[in-house]
Amino acid sequence: MHKNNAPWVQTVTLTPPSLKDNTADADRLIQALKSHLDPPVIDIDFDLLKVLPAVLRNSRFNIRCILFKEKQNWVLTGIADAKDATPIAGLAVDLGTTRVALRLLDLNSGRILAESAFDNPQDSVGPDILARIHFAEKEDGLKQLNILIISALNNAVEKLCASQHCKPEHIYALSVAGNTTMTHLFMGLDPRWIIREPYIPVVNRPGVVKALALGVCVNPRARVFIFPNVGSYCGGDLIAGILFSQIYKKSRPCMLVDVGTNAEVVLGNENWLIACAGAAGPALEGGVTRMGMTAGPGVIDQIGVDLKTLEFKIDTIEDLPPKGICGSGVIDLAAQLFLAGMIDIRGKLLPAVCGSKIREIDGFLNLIVVPAENSATGSDLTISQADLDSLIRSKAAMYTILETLTGSVGVSADDLESFYVAGTFGAFIKPESAIAIGMLPDLPLDRYKPLGNSSLGGATLALETDKFHMDIEQIRDRITYLELNVNQDFMNRFSAAKFLPHTNPKLFPSVKVGAQRLHSPGGD
Amino acid sequence: MHKNNAPWVQTVTLTPPSLKDNTADADRLIQALKSHLDPPVIDIDFDLLKVLPAVLRNSRFNIRCILFKEKQNWVLTGIADAKDATPIAGLAVDLGTTRVALRLLDLNSGRILAESAFDNPQDSVGPDILARIHFAEKEDGLKQLNILIISALNNAVEKLCASQHCKPEHIYALSVAGNTTMTHLFMGLDPRWIIREPYIPVVNRPGVVKALALGVCVNPRARVFIFPNVGSYCGGDLIAGILFSQIYKKSRPCMLVDVGTNAEVVLGNENWLIACAGAAGPALEGGVTRMGMTAGPGVIDQIGVDLKTLEFKIDTIEDLPPKGICGSGVIDLAAQLFLAGMIDIRGKLLPAVCGSKIREIDGFLNLIVVPAENSATGSDLTISQADLDSLIRSKAAMYTILETLTGSVGVSADDLESFYVAGTFGAFIKPESAIAIGMLPDLPLDRYKPLGNSSLGGATLALETDKFHMDIEQIRDRITYLELNVNQDFMNRFSAAKFLPHTNPKLFPSVKVGAQRLHSPGGD
């Protein structure tokens, strides 16, 4: 037997019992497994004892063992003849407030078998955490929320398995990363104290729970690793992201930004980690503009402006006719408008420059991005001054959070070895555009690294080897959560960041405003 | 909070959460408990997390915790307001093949609340282990046997609790000591390999199992400590007996004898333990004589013979009219007959001495112990020559086992600091009678110590403190099981032990055969 990285599946050959060695079946098996596992402490799931004698003898004492790591010890969750080729699967879950993503893995090789995602059905109760917690306080409210997420997960697991000719009972290990409230709702734990001073979760380290106890329909002996949290506002999803980014192993400081419903930011290295979260997010996802939406087919994700003709060059996802614009598209648009001199450094539309692209609707200025004849909706796709103002506030908030975080530990943006941008936002954003509007610091572009779904990535790693479970515990214990104190200093920074790219152009030396036209505050 | 011997119930006051200390409820509780428990590793039963926030806040963070020890860590199985006075009970179980004994305890003080016992209903399937194992191999046989014992236990628990104005759900911890087969049937584990060479149990160290998983109707979070075994023929009941006798802590060697269906014998001290079992028992319990029965009201437990008149002086349990004679009574009778010269050193009835007490039935000699007019049954209570022959074989087997065991480690009977006699046998036997017939070695009488139900006693200790769980593990690991090898040497010893008290009278210097009459082999 070889020691691989994934210790979950071990094939062992036991010395058959004899009159000189009459150790019991269970103890004999534990003895054989001990030399392969660290620490050599192994529990056998009680139900397995019922089939153990027959499996051992039918397989002539040559068996395949499925294990998982609980806090202090290993637990045996499955046994079969070594020749048995039934799949042994694991399931990584990113438990988002809005969307839940699943990844099915071969637990032995770590190979990804399939992925899927579904909208969190708790959205029907309330779109945000606050509304759901209030609902949970009603009679049976918590139970309803719990059933919503568990049933949807069970349905999705069944479909995902069916697509791979495997069955839910072939799943022996799960790992779940979610924010603190979602984790509580998933576990059926009362979340009411999370939103009330002093903001106390029921549990920081849920550890490993039996799938059966959670109502998750997989193998009845399967174990679920649930990511820990640092507190009510620094959840398992962020810890999974840190794990996935590996910033906790870097010698030089790195930054990780995950923009979802909230913007969550972590700064740190192998010695320290500091995290904070702020409401920078909503303006960057669907909802920022009347045509705003999340990334998807037909959605504008990149916009260029011809500096001479001021014509838009539109790219849509899957090259379909444009039907809206997502967060990264809005950032691209604002950057191009600014570089082309179509908006000033306050983000105000300049009718003199925009010309016929400007239309006044209900007394407010609007810029036509895609005229009706070219759009998928049959109407003009426009962006309003109010949309731009909202974006400016968002980008200012994001920059101020980053600046506050680096400032709190005396690190300058230049010191950052890497700047990881997670999630859909990270996948679609063009760092040069985010820099142009002063949303992200002016670093060499190659330091910006998209991470994808870092929460799902971290959850996947937790199914790769138990070494990551120790890393997760270390990350949790090392994080300092920085409570954003909105004081005068913060407000001053925020005000300075509300200009494009910033009141201090020395912070953004690479941003060259388009050729001839330069605009000073107040000049349009 | 004081550290008591029984660590299962701890009252702790938590520092209420604040903005400066926003640790989660569960982690805060674990932190508070850590300083009171060794090792400071504590798991919380998942279901308790659901009520934890409310209990903490309703009690103003002053709570009573119920804990139990699993292998490596503590597990929290109950929480309540510190002012809550609901009983917290434990249940010790001696899981006998023939009879099951229960003892209800206050888990905090260790005080015994009540006891009861019931006949093992598996007797309907087969009176002995062998018959039950064969039944377990039939379709659903194991399930039926398991349900028989679990249902009977649940019934008995309910009655026992009702007698104490407490409820089964107030029982948070159980400990169960039984032989290896009974333990398997109790756990629903396949016992078939126990009786087939090389005699392999499913498990040696069952450890701690949830009551719910076993079907035992007590608190759903209760844990069950199940005594380990050394092999198929050296079970948890014997280990419990060793624990209770404390011979594993003595500096000088001691002996422990438990006569039930089998005679189980342990010899040892703080450094070593050697055990063996043999079929010496049946002749000593009910069944040895036509009037034989187990100890109970009206049963003859002591007999004296007036050396002049040769009249019997009968003592019965509860002084009721005699209805039969139990094992200890038969030993008393044989000793008195021998000392009075009414049987010879081969155990043969001497008609010349017994006179009118002898009656020939179907060609065999019988001795009338109680004439019909004095007996509770209306018939003569008699003992036959065959009964006496059977007793002689039993006592010879017992003595040979003891001699083989001491001989195997070069210890002489004189070296024994104490000789513990467990069970009903130990409670009723008069050591001087057992010595007189050469069943037990000729030690000063004060070295003989009755233990009572040592298996139940050991199970009770396992509910007293977790330190005994470590002792149990050490006892298990220290026992050497001596397989009785019935070779020529054993048979020679057995032959020598078939005389009263022995062919070598130097082994029994205290046995003075009654006055005038002396009998040589063959002389009657």
Side-chain angles (χ1 to χ4, degrees):
Chain A
M1 205 197 69
H2 83 120
K3 278 200 184 190
N4 54 7
N5 278 331
W8 317 129
V9 185
Q10 302 275 357
T11 303
V12 285
T13 305
L14 280 63
T15 313
S18 67
L19 280 174
K20 291 197 173 164
D21 171 14
N22 66 347
T23 306
D25 290 342
D27 302 72
R28 179 178 303 274
L29 175 56
I30 287 171
Q31 203 54 47
L33 279 169
K34 270 186 177 176
S35 59
H36 302 295
L37 296 170
D38 177 41
V41 184
I42 302 146
D43 276 340
I44 299 182
D45 187 283
F46 177 67
D47 289 332
L48 273 189
L49 291 177
K50 300 186 178 177
V51 298
L52 184 61
V55 172
L56 284 183
R57 286 164 184 80
N58 294 341
S59 70
R60 298 172 180 270
F61 294 91
N62 182 25
I63 61 165
R64 189 184 73 173
C65 298
I66 307 172
L67 296 133
F68 202 55
K69 186 76 173 286
E70 294 197 344
K71 275 178 214 169
Q72 313 298 324
N73 30 330
W74 295 90
V75 61
L76 186 72
T77 57
I79 42 167
D81 193 314
K83 293 190 285 290
D84 192 324
T86 316
I88 304 169
L91 185 77
V93 181
D94 164 36
L95 200 65
T97 306
T98 309
R99 203 155 165 82
V100 176
L102 309 180
R103 181 176 284 163
L104 191 70
L105 307 160
D106 178 317
L107 210 53
N108 193 17
S109 66
R111 197 165 59 89
I112 296 174
L113 301 176
E115 293 189 355
S116 72
F118 60 90
D119 289 334
N120 189 331
Q122 293 174 339
D123 192 65
S124 62
V125 164
D128 58 34
I129 286 308
L130 202 69
R132 294 186 201 169
I133 291 180
H134 285 309
F135 185 87
E137 291 170 27
K138 295 182 190 172
E139 197 181 325
D140 275 340
L142 174 58
K143 198 173 167 188
Q144 284 181 49
L145 282 166
N146 178 253
I147 289 173
L148 277 174
I149 184 66
I150 297 292
S151 312
L153 178 65
N154 286 338
N155 281 335
V157 167
E158 201 164 321
K159 280 184 202 152
L160 191 61
C161 285
S163 77
Q164 296 301 308
H165 307 292
C166 108
K167 290 178 182 167
E169 58 259 39
H170 297 147
I171 297 177
Y172 283 87
L174 291 88
S175 76
V176 176
N179 64 50
T180 305
T181 300
M182 272 313 303
T183 301
H184 276 56
L185 297 176
F186 174 75
M187 295 176 75
L189 302 181
D190 187 352
R192 80 180 64 200
W193 305 103
I194 287 178
I195 51 165
R196 290 177 167 84
E197 205 181 302
Y199 314 112
I200 306 297
V202 176
V203 64
N204 288 136
R205 296 174 181 83
V208 172
V209 179
K210 283 188 96 166
L212 209 57
L214 295 166
V216 178
C217 298
V218 289
N219 188 288
R221 293 183 301 277
R223 298 301 200 270
V224 185
F225 175 87
I226 302 175
F227 273 77
N229 63 68
V230 181
S232 291
Y233 296 103
C234 185
D237 49 353
L238 191 59
I239 290 175
I242 295 169
L243 179 73
F244 186 61
S245 71
Q246 303 270 294
I247 64 175
Y248 69 102
K249 286 183 173 174
K250 307 280 183 179
S251 51
R252 290 180 52 203
C254 296
M255 197 159 233
L256 164 65
V257 172
D258 192 353
V259 181
T261 313
N262 262 347
E264 294 177 330
V265 187
V266 184
L267 172 65
N269 62 16
E270 62 191 352
N271 297 313
W272 50 271
L273 291 164
I274 180 160
C276 74
L284 304 176
E285 289 281 339
V288 62
T289 66
R290 266 163 298 149
M291 62 180 179
M293 51 180 57
T294 50
V299 169
I300 299 170
D301 62 340
Q302 282 194 48
I303 297 182
V305 175
D306 184 301
L307 286 185
K308 283 186 185 155
T309 63
L310 300 185
E311 286 305 304
F312 293 130
K313 286 174 292 185
I314 305 271
D315 280 317
T316 64
I317 298 173
E318 295 181 16
D319 281 332
L320 296 172
K323 61 177 188 180
I325 187 165
C326 68
S328 61
V330 173
I331 291 166
D332 247 17
L333 175 61
Q336 293 293 322
L337 292 177
F338 176 58
L339 295 176
M342 296 166 78
I343 55 174
D344 67 12
I345 74 165
R346 296 171 311 163
K348 299 297 177 194
L349 287 163
L350 297 172
V353 183
C354 298
S356 63
K357 289 189 155 40
I358 289 281
R359 180 173 304 164
E360 204 178 300
I361 303 171
D362 299 332
F364 296 99
L365 293 186
N366 280 261
L367 182 77
I368 299 166
V369 181
V370 181
E373 62 267 29
N374 296 336
S375 87
T377 61
S379 315
D380 292 342
L381 300 184
T382 63
I383 188 161
S384 70
Q385 185 59 56
D387 295 334
L388 286 168
D389 293 348
S390 164
L391 174 68
I392 301 286
R393 281 194 301 276
S394 281
K395 82 96 186 171
M398 170 72 96
Y399 189 81
T400 308
I401 290 171
L402 299 179
E403 201 181 27
T404 302
L405 202 54
T406 49
S408 74
V409 285
V411 164
S412 91
D414 278 348
D415 298 331
L416 299 176
E417 182 186 297
S418 298
F419 194 112
Y420 297 98
V421 190
T424 316
F425 182 72
F428 289 98
I429 199 177
K430 277 163 68 184
E432 56 268 44
S433 296
I435 293 170
I437 63 166
M439 182 177 195
L440 295 180
D442 194 1
L443 298 175
L445 294 182
D446 60 2
R447 296 207 202 159
Y448 281 99
K449 288 162 187 165
L451 268 189
N453 186 336
S454 61
S455 172
L456 187 61
T460 306
L461 290 181
L463 293 178
E464 202 167 275
T465 146
D466 61 299
K467 292 187 182 60
F468 285 127
H469 296 202
M470 286 179 278
D471 287 3
I472 288 163
E473 192 61 21
Q474 282 169 14
I475 291 170
R476 198 213 87 89
D477 290 345
R478 207 187 288 162
I479 294 179
T480 305
Y481 185 71
L482 181 74
E483 197 68 57
L484 277 184
N485 193 359
V486 183
N487 53 20
Q488 192 55 46
D489 187 45
F490 185 91
M491 288 313 294
N492 290 345
R493 284 179 179 169
F494 181 66
S495 297
K498 283 209 301 194
F499 291 87
L500 299 179
H502 196 273
T503 48
N504 180 4
K506 285 182 188 158
L507 290 171
F508 290 87
S510 80
V511 182
K512 308 289 180 209
V513 176
Q516 312 71 14
R517 306 176 200 88
L518 279 171
H519 311 278
S520 62
D524 58 355
Chain B
M1 205 195 72
H2 85 118
K3 278 199 183 190
N4 54 7
N5 278 334
W8 317 129
V9 185
Q10 301 276 356
T11 303
V12 284
T13 304
L14 280 62
T15 313
S18 67
L19 281 174
K20 292 197 174 165
D21 172 15
N22 67 346
T23 306
D25 290 344
D27 302 72
R28 178 178 305 273
L29 175 57
I30 287 171
Q31 204 53 46
L33 280 168
K34 270 186 177 178
S35 60
H36 303 294
L37 296 170
D38 177 41
V41 184
I42 303 146
D43 275 340
I44 300 182
D45 187 283
F46 177 67
D47 289 333
L48 273 190
L49 291 177
K50 299 186 180 179
V51 298
L52 183 61
V55 173
L56 283 183
R57 286 164 183 81
N58 294 341
S59 70
R60 298 172 179 270
F61 294 90
N62 183 24
I63 61 165
R64 189 184 75 172
C65 298
I66 308 171
L67 295 133
F68 202 57
K69 187 78 172 285
E70 294 199 341
K71 275 177 211 170
Q72 313 299 324
N73 29 331
W74 296 90
V75 61
L76 186 72
T77 58
I79 43 168
D81 193 316
K83 293 190 285 288
D84 191 325
T86 316
I88 303 169
L91 185 78
V93 181
D94 164 36
L95 199 66
T97 306
T98 308
R99 202 155 165 82
V100 177
L102 309 180
R103 181 176 285 164
L104 190 69
L105 307 160
D106 178 316
L107 210 53
N108 192 19
S109 66
R111 196 166 59 88
I112 296 174
L113 302 175
E115 292 189 356
S116 73
F118 60 90
D119 289 335
N120 189 331
Q122 294 174 338
D123 193 67
S124 62
V125 164
D128 58 36
I129 287 308
L130 202 68
R132 293 187 201 169
I133 291 180
H134 285 309
F135 185 85
E137 292 169 28
K138 296 182 190 173
E139 197 182 324
D140 275 339
L142 173 57
K143 197 173 166 186
Q144 283 181 50
L145 282 165
N146 178 252
I147 289 174
L148 277 172
I149 183 65
I150 297 291
S151 312
L153 178 65
N154 286 338
N155 281 336
V157 167
E158 201 164 323
K159 279 184 202 150
L160 191 61
C161 285
S163 77
Q164 296 302 308
H165 307 291
C166 107
K167 292 177 181 168
E169 59 259 40
H170 297 149
I171 298 177
Y172 283 87
L174 292 89
S175 76
V176 176
N179 63 49
T180 304
T181 300
M182 272 313 303
T183 301
H184 275 56
L185 297 176
F186 174 74
M187 295 176 76
L189 301 182
D190 186 354
R192 80 179 64 198
W193 305 103
I194 288 178
I195 51 166
R196 289 177 167 84
E197 207 180 298
Y199 314 112
I200 306 297
V202 176
V203 63
N204 289 137
R205 296 173 181 86
V208 172
V209 179
K210 282 188 94 165
L212 209 57
L214 296 165
V216 178
C217 298
V218 289
N219 187 289
R221 292 182 301 277
R223 298 301 199 271
V224 185
F225 176 87
I226 302 174
F227 273 76
N229 63 67
V230 180
S232 291
Y233 295 104
C234 186
D237 49 352
L238 190 59
I239 290 176
I242 295 169
L243 179 74
F244 186 62
S245 72
Q246 303 271 294
I247 64 174
Y248 69 103
K249 286 184 173 174
K250 306 281 184 180
S251 51
R252 289 180 53 202
C254 295
M255 199 160 233
L256 164 64
V257 172
D258 191 355
V259 182
T261 314
N262 262 348
E264 294 177 330
V265 188
V266 183
L267 172 65
N269 62 16
E270 61 190 352
N271 297 313
W272 50 270
L273 291 164
I274 181 160
C276 74
L284 303 176
E285 289 283 338
V288 63
T289 66
R290 267 161 301 152
M291 62 176 178
M293 50 180 59
T294 50
V299 170
I300 300 170
D301 62 340
Q302 282 194 48
I303 298 181
V305 175
D306 186 300
L307 287 185
K308 286 189 183 153
T309 65
L310 299 186
E311 285 307 304
F312 292 131
K313 287 175 291 187
I314 303 270
D315 280 315
T316 64
I317 298 174
E318 295 181 17
D319 281 332
L320 295 172
K323 62 177 187 179
I325 187 165
C326 65
S328 60
V330 172
I331 292 166
D332 247 18
L333 176 62
Q336 293 294 321
L337 292 177
F338 175 59
L339 295 176
M342 296 165 78
I343 55 176
D344 68 13
I345 74 165
R346 299 171 309 162
K348 299 297 178 194
L349 287 163
L350 299 170
V353 184
C354 298
S356 63
K357 288 193 156 35
I358 289 279
R359 179 172 306 164
E360 204 176 299
I361 303 172
D362 299 334
F364 296 98
L365 293 184
N366 281 262
L367 182 77
I368 299 167
V369 182
V370 180
E373 61 268 30
N374 296 337
S375 87
T377 62
S379 314
D380 292 343
L381 299 185
T382 64
I383 189 164
S384 71
Q385 185 59 56
D387 296 332
L388 287 168
D389 292 349
S390 166
L391 174 68
I392 301 285
R393 281 193 302 276
S394 282
K395 82 95 185 170
M398 170 73 97
Y399 188 79
T400 310
I401 290 171
L402 299 178
E403 202 181 28
T404 303
L405 201 53
T406 49
S408 74
V409 285
V411 164
S412 90
D414 278 348
D415 298 330
L416 299 177
E417 183 188 297
S418 297
F419 194 112
Y420 296 98
V421 191
T424 316
F425 180 74
F428 290 98
I429 198 177
K430 278 165 68 183
E432 55 269 44
S433 295
I435 293 170
I437 63 166
M439 181 177 198
L440 295 180
D442 193 2
L443 298 176
L445 294 183
D446 61 3
R447 297 207 202 160
Y448 282 98
K449 288 163 188 164
L451 269 189
N453 186 337
S454 61
S455 172
L456 187 61
T460 306
L461 290 182
L463 293 178
E464 203 167 272
T465 143
D466 62 299
K467 291 187 184 59
F468 285 127
H469 296 200
M470 286 179 278
D471 287 4
I472 289 163
E473 192 62 20
Q474 282 169 14
I475 291 169
R476 199 213 87 89
D477 291 344
R478 207 186 289 162
I479 294 179
T480 304
Y481 184 72
L482 182 74
E483 196 68 57
L484 278 183
N485 192 359
V486 183
N487 53 20
Q488 191 55 47
D489 186 46
F490 185 92
M491 287 314 293
N492 290 345
R493 286 181 177 166
F494 181 65
S495 298
K498 284 210 300 195
F499 291 89
L500 298 178
H502 196 274
T503 48
N504 180 3
K506 285 182 187 156
L507 290 171
F508 292 87
S510 80
V511 182
K512 309 286 182 210
V513 177
Q516 310 72 13
R517 306 175 201 86
L518 277 172
H519 312 276
S520 61
D524 57 355

